[in-house]
Amino acid sequence: MAVARPGLPAATTAGETAGGIPPSAWITALVLVIMPALASDFFLVQVFGWALVLGTIALSLQFLAGYGGMVSLVQMTVAGFAGYMVAILGTSGLTQISLGWPFWLAVPVAILLAVLFGTLSGALAVRTAGIYTIMITLAIAAAFFYFTRQNETVFGGFLGFNGVRAPVFWGIDWRSPVPFYYLCLGWAAIAWGLVVWVVRAPFGLALQGIRDNPRRMAALGFDVTAHRIAAYAFAAFLAAPAGILLTWMNGQIAPGTVGIGPVIDILVIAVVGGLGRPIGPFIGALLYVLLRIFALDALVALGLSGQRFQLLIGLGFLVTVLFSPDGILGLWERARHRWSAPLNRGGR
Amino acid sequence: MARAIAERLSATGTVNALELRGVTKRFGALLALDDVTLSVRPGERRAILGSNGAGKTTLLNCITGDFPASSGTIRFFGEDVTRFPAHERIRRGLRRTYQISLLFGGLSVLDNVYLACLGVSRGRFSLLRPRRDDALVESARALVHAVHLDEVAEKKVAELAHGQQRQLEVALALAGAPRFLLFDEPAAGLSPAERADLVAILQGLPAHMGYVIIEHDMDVALRVVESVTLMHEGRIFKEGTPEEIEADPEVQELYLGHGRG
Amino acid sequence: MARAGAMATGEPGAEGGGLARRVERHPLAALLLALAIVLFLWLVLADWPEELERWLGRKRVFVSALFNGITLGGLYFLVATGFTLIFGLMRNVNLAHGSLYLFGGYLAYSTVQATGLWLPSFLVAFVLVAIVGLLLQVLVFRHMEGQELRQTLVTIGLSIVFADLMLWVWGGDFYQIPTPEWLAGPIDTPIVLDVRPNGEAVYLRYPRVRLVIFAASVVIGVLLWLAINKTRVGMLIRAGVDDREMLAASGVPIQLLFALVFAFGAGLAGMAGVVGGTFQSISPGEDTRFLLASLVVVIVGGLGSIPGAALGALLIGLAEQFGSVYLPTYAIVFSFLIMVLVLAFRPQGLLSVR
């Protein structure tokens, strides 16, 4: 299909080739770690924190789409579900609903429930294959959005929950800028590492084999359906903590967080960044966040209303899908290819 | 339990490896398989012959569960597998090759075989990466060796010659501990030398491994089997030994006469 | 590759045979269905005993939920049938379909505002939205044939852009297209809601416009069915749904056929927008709502099948209306549950084409 997908990595030679980490990766990691010394609090949380969180949610989509061939629109919903669960099980401004569990209980249970939710959604979506996935997951996401908006007793209706705070322990307020940045960076790094690891483990290899050739995989003894559902579970596990971080960042969770707009935005982020590699979604997320924050001024400067932001996002997405289906990542790789080896690759 | 009993029975020869009763397959209005009843003993090697469109490949697809039979029952070593999904049948020791290329072109030969070994192992969902001395990797290497592909083991499958891809198909079917194999035209497009190689591989299989082979090349087919089933328009119309079939005048006219182009 | 995913789960050959054969094959299901129909007719026509009213509330509530559900189903059918038609022939999951609906509604509103004419606004909406559909097929989708996922992603991008452009032009207000005088007001139906103590029967009064529009959508549905099953173009479309390679090989100007079907499907969505704008109202967000309704309808009914769209639309319309009457907080769950059940037991949809 047209949208870029990473090739199957070599299984039997994994040990030999995994050693080399390029210097650019080391530099990026270093910059990210010392970021609090470089950036203001606003940039730390509102730009980098937000981008890392959105990037992680989009990463869970990249995993499913890139390695499993399943473009799932339910990932933002899974993240939002985890956020809702933390608000319901833990503490929030809506004291008549929130159960007030301590965070060390509420957070794991919320993640567990969100994984369950993601797995069930996946089980529904994999009943049919191909282009149905996008339709069914979109329908699930929409149903959840409308449900949270209508349901007052459990989900707090239209207004949702406010006053959902990150915990304070070891004498640290984990919502203050620097610790919160490290929380976001920590989970993003773990999630990224997990994806990189899993796609070369037997489970990930099987998943990619199923993406390329489900019939053959079944004839080799693989339970295609079970593998796909397990992939949804894994992706939900990546997205759920990010959803909780997002809720802590905003201090609230409401239907708007899991609306159709945000659901599509995650797809936009993943596709624009590039579905080819796990780093793509983070690039897309950073771009999205920067646009979100600074496009307003730019639009106004151009004499347009700040509301035209969506137009910008839509056009950017369209241009990507039409002209560089493998996203910015693909664009970058092609450009590097052309400049570094102009002699032996004249034709391309 | 039931499987253990079935296995013991099969060892004594009272249970057939493959037992098809009244298997029918419809595609819309088209009757691709019409009431096929067939039994193959464990260790038996059987050729299915017939012109194009006789329903041979459809029969294999129904046996492996690539798509379900419309009606009828299929037993594998005594166990009713009619409603089993494909992977469950494979895990019970059934294997097949494909006539059409369903290989992983972007992977190396070794990785293709590794996936096949993984599919019938318990580590399918493992999150641990394989080490170089992994047992599955070892068995994959052994299989690559068995089908004489050592020299291209690290090559991408897409870069392989046609004949080598056919050999790789056979290797994928031999992964794990197969009890019965289905070969779908393994010799199609092979050079005479490669055919000889294939015949050697088939004849070298352990005696307990029975198989059904669909093959247009009579020289290959009749050299590697002990019984023959003839199909025509979705039905079975004759069974016998290779000698009987070759000598049968009706068969001569219907199939051998003009089916060899 | 193009059709590998979508319909592969369909059981080929399950559709054969007429009504009699189906009844023969599933006697229990047929009996249950017949019983359900009888019970249903009784519920609508009979004077409700007190016991029943205690259970289900007043008959008026039940019957008006029923009528609202059926007429809403008619609207859903109009939207979803274009979606399903486009998918059936071109394997294009057009997620900008809701935008076409909303665009049609806005166009009709502006037309009615400018001219005061209601019926011609249908024509305006149909033609202009059909032109948009035509342009999309000719300029965009024909260049990425067979790339299902990419096409769908493009339609997502388009829906974002369209939504913002429409917001730019028409703003964020709610609009309702005024009902023309000759359709305004209620109509007396022969359905008895209640019998007063003095023996006088109370009849259901129902908005005339909704009934007329429902009748129109039934007519459109029947005409479509006839067109697809009895005409040459319809035959080509059916052949294309079954086997595109064969159609392409037969020398039919397939690109022209694709463009026409895309235009027609889009035009239907535009017309549905007029209906929706008259029934309810149009505003930003309605595009998503009706896109989702179409999705659920075609998933339930079977993607690519027009009778499936009709059945799905009816089921979802009824589920939504009965849900909002009897279980308001969980109304959305009803239509969703139907989708889940269908996916669990018949993933290819109730009336799948194969």
Side-chain angles (χ1 to χ4, degrees):
Chain A
M1 233 171 263
V3 173
R5 43 183 44 171
L8 274 165
T12 49
T13 52
E16 297 156 34
T17 51
I21 297 173
S24 60
W26 284 115
I27 295 168
T28 312
L30 186 72
V31 170
L32 284 171
V33 170
I34 61 165
M35 187 64 79
L38 307 172
S40 68
D41 283 356
F42 172 80
F43 262 83
L44 216 48
V45 174
Q46 297 303 326
V47 175
F48 292 108
W50 195 20
L52 286 166
V53 164
L54 289 182
T56 311
I57 299 171
L59 171 69
S60 76
L61 194 159
Q62 186 271 337
F63 173 77
L64 286 174
Y67 300 107
M70 302 175 286
V71 180
S72 157
L73 292 181
V74 86
Q75 299 315 114
M76 185 65 227
T77 309
V78 170
F81 185 89
Y84 263 111
M85 286 306 121
V86 155
I88 292 168
L89 301 173
T91 49
S92 82
L94 258 182
T95 43
Q96 62 271 39
I97 295 179
S98 290
L99 300 174
W101 293 5
F103 80 92
W104 51 265
L105 187 60
V107 169
V109 174
I111 294 175
L112 195 74
L113 289 173
V115 169
L116 202 66
F117 176 81
T119 312
L120 287 177
S121 306
L124 268 184
V126 302
R127 294 285 300 167
T128 55
I131 207 71
Y132 265 71
T133 308
I134 222 168
M135 294 173 51
I136 292 168
T137 50
L138 180 59
I140 295 171
F144 184 71
F145 163 63
Y146 286 121
F147 181 63
T148 53
R149 218 172 51 165
Q150 273 179 358
N151 185 288
E152 300 275 345
T153 45
V154 182
F155 287 91
F158 193 78
L159 294 174
F161 298 79
N162 53 22
V164 190
R165 299 200 194 294
V168 176
F169 60 97
W170 298 339
I172 301 169
D173 175 2
W174 288 93
R175 178 57 185 83
S176 59
V178 173
F180 189 73
Y181 169 78
Y182 280 120
L183 271 188
C184 297
L185 179 64
W187 183 249
I190 291 172
W192 179 83
L194 279 174
V195 170
V196 170
W197 175 268
V198 162
V199 297
R200 285 186 153 195
F203 169 66
L205 283 173
L207 186 67
Q208 292 164 82
I210 287 166
R211 170 198 67 194
D212 293 345
N213 211 330
R215 182 172 168 199
R216 165 57 97 181
M217 289 300 275
L220 293 180
F222 290 92
D223 185 339
V224 169
T225 308
H227 267 272
R228 285 181 170 151
I229 295 176
Y232 271 95
F234 177 73
F237 176 68
L238 302 180
I244 294 173
L245 289 173
L246 189 67
T247 308
W248 284 344
M249 187 172 116
N250 297 327
Q252 57 114 23
I253 178 92
T257 315
V258 294
I260 305 301
V263 162
I264 299 289
D265 284 348
I266 292 297
L267 175 74
V268 171
I269 288 170
V271 171
V272 169
L275 292 174
R277 281 199 285 144
I279 201 68
F282 292 101
I283 297 173
L286 186 62
L287 192 72
Y288 173 87
V289 167
L290 289 174
L291 259 181
R292 188 102 213 194
I293 293 172
F294 298 109
L296 221 93
D297 299 332
L299 283 168
V300 173
L302 282 172
L304 290 166
S305 152
Q307 285 178 319
R308 296 288 82 80
F309 173 72
Q310 282 299 326
L311 193 63
L312 219 58
I313 290 284
L315 287 174
F317 181 65
L318 265 183
V319 167
T320 309
V321 176
L322 288 174
F323 301 108
S324 179
D326 41 5
I328 292 174
L329 212 60
L331 210 61
W332 163 248
E333 270 163 13
R334 275 196 302 274
R336 206 173 55 172
H337 223 79
R338 190 169 298 168
W339 289 328
S340 65
L343 292 176
N344 31 14
R345 309 234 171 214
R348 300 192 73 183
Chain B
M1 189 61 195
R3 213 170 126 192
I5 293 173
E7 260 166 45
R8 210 170 334 130
L9 284 174
S10 74
T12 57
T14 45
V15 161
N16 282 317
L18 212 53
E19 177 97 45
L20 275 66
R21 279 188 194 283
V23 171
T24 299
K25 180 68 191 176
R26 271 184 221 94
F27 293 106
L30 178 78
L31 194 59
L33 286 181
D34 185 4
D35 192 24
V36 170
T37 295
L38 176 76
S39 44
V40 185
R41 286 176 284 105
E44 182 179 341
R45 297 172 176 198
R46 164 94 50 119
I48 296 183
L49 306 178
S51 51
N52 282 329
K56 294 166 304 194
T57 298
T58 306
L59 184 66
L60 289 206
N61 283 333
C62 284
I63 294 173
T64 50
D66 276 51
F67 37 73
S70 304
S71 61
T73 57
I74 298 167
R75 287 177 174 277
F76 185 60
F77 285 94
E79 191 176 10
D80 186 349
V81 298
T82 316
R83 305 194 72 84
F84 281 17
H87 65 266
E88 287 291 349
R89 306 184 196 198
I90 302 301
R91 290 178 194 177
R92 279 164 175 74
L94 185 65
R95 297 284 189 281
R96 75 168 293 179
T97 69
Y98 286 92
Q99 181 189 352
I100 46 173
S101 185
L102 281 178
L103 298 163
F104 300 98
L107 280 185
S108 73
V109 169
L110 190 58
D111 282 346
N112 268 269
V113 182
Y114 173 80
L115 272 180
C117 295
L118 180 66
V120 286
S121 77
R122 286 175 192 282
R124 283 179 295 259
F125 284 90
S126 171
L127 296 178
L128 300 176
R129 288 186 186 173
R131 290 203 309 262
R132 262 180 73 74
D133 56 349
D134 190 280
L136 285 178
V137 179
E138 289 304 311
S139 49
R141 280 189 200 285
L143 274 174
V144 169
H145 178 71
V147 295
H148 316 151
L149 287 176
D150 308 70
E151 280 173 25
V152 291
E154 306 291 341
K155 242 188 172 178
K156 272 194 181 177
V157 168
E159 297 163 6
L160 255 49
H162 175 79
Q164 294 171 317
Q165 294 195 2
R166 307 302 310 168
Q167 276 162 298
L168 178 57
E169 272 288 343
V170 174
L172 294 188
L174 292 175
R179 292 202 286 170
F180 199 85
L181 298 136
L182 309 169
F183 293 109
D184 194 354
E185 298 206 23
L190 294 190
S191 69
E194 288 167 336
R195 279 171 199 235
D197 210 12
L198 177 74
V199 168
I201 291 172
L202 291 182
Q203 284 173 339
L205 290 177
H208 72 271
M209 265 185 221
Y211 55 74
V212 163
I213 180 168
I214 295 177
E215 190 47 68
H216 272 293
D217 184 336
M218 302 296 285
D219 299 331
V220 171
L222 298 184
R223 271 165 68 194
V224 295
V225 299
E226 61 212 61
S227 58
V228 178
T229 295
L230 273 155
M231 285 185 74
H232 187 66
E233 289 177 353
R235 292 171 156 274
I236 287 181
F237 84 96
K238 198 146 271 175
E239 295 194 338
T241 64
E243 296 76 33
E244 286 166 7
I245 294 293
E246 246 179 331
D248 192 307
E250 200 185 353
V251 175
Q252 294 276 354
E253 192 196 336
L254 245 173
Y255 178 64
L256 302 176
H258 47 81
R260 295 178 77 170
Chain C
M1 187 203 84
R3 5 187 214 113
M7 295 303 180
T9 42
E11 173 86 337
E15 293 310 309
L19 188 65
R21 243 179 85 189
R22 278 190 202 196
V23 171
E24 208 172 291
R25 215 182 294 170
H26 311 283
L28 191 66
L31 184 69
L32 284 177
L33 190 68
L35 276 178
I37 291 174
V38 169
L39 177 73
F40 178 77
L41 284 177
W42 179 80
L43 276 173
V44 175
L45 297 175
D47 182 22
W48 284 20
E50 296 225 350
E51 187 68 17
L52 193 62
E53 294 226 333
R54 215 172 305 136
W55 262 55
L56 284 177
R58 298 179 58 83
K59 187 183 173 187
R60 174 189 301 279
V61 175
F62 175 85
V63 173
S64 58
L66 179 71
F67 269 69
N68 286 341
I70 292 175
T71 48
L72 183 63
L75 174 55
Y76 283 169
F77 171 75
L78 283 182
V79 192
T81 192
F83 184 89
T84 213
L85 203 63
I86 290 171
F87 174 83
L89 188 62
M90 285 162 274
R91 303 284 136 187
N92 182 333
V93 174
N94 178 17
L95 295 184
H97 200 71
S99 315
L100 299 175
Y101 163 90
L102 187 57
F103 185 49
Y106 279 133
L107 283 174
Y109 175 79
S110 294
T111 310
V112 173
Q113 283 306 97
T115 64
L117 299 169
W118 186 68
L119 271 183
S121 73
F122 277 87
L123 193 68
V124 171
F126 182 87
V127 171
L128 290 183
V129 179
I131 289 173
V132 173
L134 190 74
L135 290 177
L136 285 182
Q137 171 62 24
V138 172
L139 296 180
V140 184
F141 297 122
R142 72 180 283 182
H143 302 295
M144 38 178 84
E145 218 170 283
Q147 306 174 21
E148 291 174 45
L149 181 59
R150 193 156 162 224
Q151 289 192 352
T152 305
L153 293 181
V154 168
T155 63
I156 290 180
L158 286 173
S159 71
I160 301 174
V161 170
F162 286 163
D164 204 60
L165 288 178
M166 288 189 279
L167 184 68
W168 201 350
V169 175
W170 280 282
D173 295 332
F174 285 77
Y175 296 116
Q176 186 163 25
I177 301 172
T179 312
E181 240 166 68
W182 52 278
L183 277 177
I187 187 172
D188 280 315
T189 65
I191 291 168
V192 181
L193 287 179
D194 202 1
V195 181
R196 292 221 177 97
N198 60 10
E200 194 184 328
V202 181
Y203 292 98
L204 172 74
R205 290 163 68 80
Y206 198 76
R208 189 190 303 262
V209 64
R210 291 188 79 121
L211 289 179
V212 169
I213 287 175
F214 175 71
S217 60
V218 170
V219 169
I220 289 178
V222 171
L223 284 179
L224 254 180
W225 188 86
L226 284 176
I228 284 187
N229 286 284
K230 306 287 175 203
T231 68
R232 195 182 128 71
V233 175
M235 197 201 74
L236 290 177
I237 292 174
R238 271 187 304 148
V241 169
D242 288 339
D243 191 342
R244 283 169 49 176
E245 288 79 23
M246 198 180 77
L247 184 63
S250 69
V252 174
I254 192 164
Q255 287 305 336
L256 181 70
L257 187 67
F258 279 11
L260 284 179
V261 168
F262 210 110
F264 185 73
L268 273 181
M271 256 170 49
V274 190
V275 174
T278 313
F279 259 36
Q280 305 175 332
S281 63
I282 41 174
S283 63
E286 289 295 289
D287 47 353
T288 328
R289 209 189 116 207
F290 275 86
L291 169 66
L292 290 164
S294 314
L295 287 186
V296 176
V297 163
V298 299
I299 290 172
V300 168
L303 200 43
S305 150
I306 287 180
L311 179 65
L314 194 63
L315 281 176
I316 299 304
L318 285 172
E320 249 179 52
Q321 288 301 321
F322 276 106
S324 65
V325 166
Y326 289 104
L327 265 176
T329 21
Y330 295 93
I332 185 73
V333 179
F334 267 108
S335 32
F336 184 66
L337 260 185
I338 293 179
M339 187 186 95
V340 170
L341 287 176
V342 168
L343 280 175
F345 295 106
R346 204 179 148 79
Q348 72 273 35
L350 293 176
L351 298 180
S352 159
V353 278
R354 66 186 75 195

